[in-house]
Amino acid sequence: MRRIVELGNAQLVECGAGGLSVREIARGLGMVSSAVYRYVRSRDELLTLLIVDAYGDLADAVDGALAEASDAPRERFTALAESMAQWAIAHPERWTLLYGTPVSGYDAPAESTNADGTRVMARMLAIAAAADADAAADAGASAGRGQGVHVTPDVRALLDAHLEEFGVESDAMAAMRAVTAWSSLVGIISAHVFRQLGADAAAIGEQILGSQTELLADLVIGR
Amino acid sequence: MRRIVELGNAQLVECGAGGLSVREIARGLGMVSSAVYRYVRSRDELLTLLIVDAYGDLADAVDGALAEASDAPRERFTALAESMAQWAIAHPERWTLLYGTPVSGYDAPAESTNADGTRVMARMLAIAAAADADAAADAGASAGRGQGVHVTPDVRALLDAHLEEFGVESDAMAAMRAVTAWSSLVGIISAHVFRQLGADAAAIGEQILGSQTELLADLVIGR
DNA sequence: AGACGTCAAGAGCAGTGCTCTCGGAATATG
DNA sequence: CATATTCCGAGAGCACTGCTCTTGACGTCT
């Protein structure tokens, strides 16, 4: 069973998500294809297995980086962003699995996925909340930074629900900044991993990522 | 030939990129699969055809929206972002084709793709440049907004090269904000199309997108 | 009229996911 | 200890995929 996800990951790095073949895994295991179906219901389930494995691995990497960071929100954000980017660069196919196209025609199995998939998001919420608290303490008058952004009641309710779910105390505005920063971060890293900015940009990708991360930090933390 | 990409697009919407089958297209055309190979070298080439078609369509949509917008940078940014999002929502599979995982194991055919693929990016650069010019005019002292962000010489050179390529006059800092906003925008839209924020967020996705777009506007335009 | 190029058909190869049945081995049960 | 039951892998097979090769029918141009 664990050998299956091992072989699956190995096959992922050399063929990509689309090239994942249960027959090939069976060959690696030295058995016939049908035998694999004892352990894994379908190719999609195998994919799901690899996805939760990757989510967990990524979240572990981020948590590791955050454990070594100070309490300063900006430093924590940078640690989160950089560890996420480094993980993506180290495992491009697994990143692809998580934040690329949902492969072929299989519906995201939210229930098995969300548990590990939201760990990083929760961290981001906490960081934005801390930054917000700091800003309010520094200058009581400047509270409400970014208030020009309109948030509908529905969205506010959803954000509050998630804040409670993750045990973070903050207001919806900070949460909005957090999820925007998170989506943006995913977009920026994907642009790098998928080489969407062109070949010459890929050569100095890390430097570009660095500047972009700073800009996003301004968005969540303020300046 | 044009019928092939028509059928390809039609098949895309109901089966996704992975389910694209030249045999199925042949069936739709009323001929046998091998006949299709007269017109299209391989499945990957067909995919490429669909990709450039989608890039062009998206850029047309954005240009159309920009044509009806005023000269105010913030309004132009919003028009760009919203038209892009609307296109993505209207054609999720084609969006997936462009900004999701590069399908299976085929290398992005940059030469055929970039021409149309960078049109939106060029628009974004122009908007950021205009915003920068406006800000400098409003208050000469506040020029250099966002100067705290560090940009390495290599990155600066690349940005300057692209600015010249697209005929936009501005400094590298504004360009950096533009590409960051662009990547972020792609990330935010993808998060919506791929439902990465959860099922309950998907229900009010447009409202969330609205707030996120405003936040990104702050990033490019300032406040 | 004859040659040439275009087009589609059909068979076929290698590969896929997946389902079924059938034996052998381990394990629990009397 | 013997028996029943469950587990696990093998193998055959179905329907499908992309793709190649050969064959034959048209139309067009010299």
Side-chain angles (χ1 to χ4, degrees), chain A residues 1 39-50 106:
Chain A
M1 192 66 198
Y39 304 92
V40 102
R41 199 181 310 270
S42 68
R43 201 191 97 116
D44 282 0
E45 185 177 305
L46 171 59
L47 226 28
T48 304
L49 245 48
L50 295 175
Y106 106 121

Side-chain angles (χ1 to χ4, degrees), chain A residues 115-134:
Chain A
D116 275 320
T118 52
R119 278 171 59 193
V120 178
M121 182 70 220
R123 296 297 197 169
M124 182 71 92
L125 278 175
I127 292 173
D132 211 47
D134 283 10

Side-chain angles (χ1 to χ4, degrees), chain B:
Chain B
M1 192 68 196
R2 228 179 44 213
R3 288 227 52 202
I4 289 185
V5 330
E6 277 174 24
L7 281 172
N9 272 323
Q11 200 175 333
L12 217 56
V13 318
E14 61 183 33
C15 301
L20 215 166
S21 151
V22 352
R23 277 181 140 102
E24 184 60 37
I25 287 186
R27 274 189 283 272
L29 256 63
M31 36 188 208
V32 91
S33 77
S34 59
V36 179
Y37 285 89
R38 293 276 156 192
Y39 305 93
V40 96
R41 200 181 310 272
S42 69
R43 201 191 97 116
D44 282 1
E45 185 176 306
L46 171 60
L47 225 31
T48 305
L49 244 48
L50 295 175
I51 288 179
V52 323
D53 180 63
Y55 267 129
D57 206 30
L58 167 61
D60 286 348
V62 170
D63 279 354
L66 284 179
E68 295 184 3
S70 76
D71 278 352
R74 195 178 190 92
E75 182 180 336
R76 292 186 75 74
F77 175 84
T78 307
L80 185 153
E82 285 183 353
S83 56
M84 204 157 159
Q86 278 171 13
W87 188 90
I89 293 171
H91 314 281
E93 347 65 29
R94 300 173 81 192
W95 173 268
T96 292
L97 209 54
L98 299 185
Y99 298 112
T101 304
V103 194
S104 74
Y106 106 120
D107 42 349
E111 58 282 4
S112 2
T113 275
N114 276 2
D116 275 321
T118 52
R119 277 171 59 193
V120 178
M121 183 68 219
R123 297 295 197 171
M124 182 72 92
L125 278 174
I127 292 173
D132 211 46
D134 282 9
D138 277 10
S142 96
R145 172 177 54 96
Q147 64 194 356
V149 177
H150 185 244
V151 176
T152 66
D154 283 350
V155 176
R156 185 174 295 271
L158 181 66
L159 290 172
D160 284 337
H162 277 87
L163 281 172
E164 191 172 359
E165 176 187 347
F166 293 130
V168 177
E169 270 201 41
S170 183
D171 81 349
M173 202 52 239
M176 189 74 242
R177 281 200 301 274
V179 349
T180 302
W182 184 81
S183 296
S184 299
L185 184 58
V186 170
I188 282 168
I189 296 177
S190 288
H192 184 221
V193 173
F194 302 157
R195 285 169 166 60
Q196 287 170 350
L197 294 180
D200 35 2
I204 53 173
E206 276 87 354
Q207 299 174 37
I208 299 179
L209 263 178
S211 300
Q212 291 180 316
T213 301
E214 285 184 60
L215 279 172
L216 285 189
D218 290 354
L219 194 155
V220 217
I221 314 292
R223 172 172 293 278

Side-chain angles (χ1 to χ4, degrees), chain A residues 5 8 13 23 37 56 63 68 97 108 121 125 153 157 163 168 176 199 205 210:
Chain A
V5 330
V13 318
R23 278 183 139 102
Y37 285 88
D63 278 354
E68 296 185 3
L97 208 55
M121 182 70 220
L125 278 175
L163 281 171
V168 177
M176 189 75 243

Side-chain angles (χ1 to χ4, degrees), chain A residues 16-147:
Chain A
L20 214 167
S21 153
V22 358
R23 278 183 139 102
E24 184 59 38
I25 287 187
R27 274 190 282 275
L29 256 64
M31 34 187 211
V32 90
S33 79
S34 61
V36 179
Y37 285 88
R38 293 278 160 191
Y39 304 92
V40 102
R41 199 181 310 270
S42 68
R43 201 191 97 116
D44 282 0
E45 185 177 305
L46 171 59
L47 226 28
T48 304
L49 245 48
L50 295 175
I51 287 179
V52 323
D53 180 62
Y55 268 127
D57 206 29
L58 167 61
D60 285 350
V62 170
D63 278 354
L66 283 179
E68 296 185 3
S70 77
D71 278 351
R74 196 178 189 91
E75 181 179 337
R76 292 186 74 75
F77 175 85
T78 308
L80 184 152
E82 285 182 352
S83 57
M84 204 158 160
Q86 277 171 15
W87 187 90
I89 293 170
H91 312 282
E93 347 65 30
R94 300 172 82 191
W95 174 267
T96 292
L97 208 55
L98 299 185
Y99 298 111
T101 305
V103 194
S104 74
Y106 106 121
D107 43 348
E111 58 282 5
S112 1
T113 276
N114 276 2
D116 275 320
T118 52
R119 278 171 59 193
V120 178
M121 182 70 220
R123 296 297 197 169
M124 182 71 92
L125 278 175
I127 292 173
D132 211 47
D134 283 10
D138 277 9
S142 97
R145 173 177 55 96
Q147 65 193 355

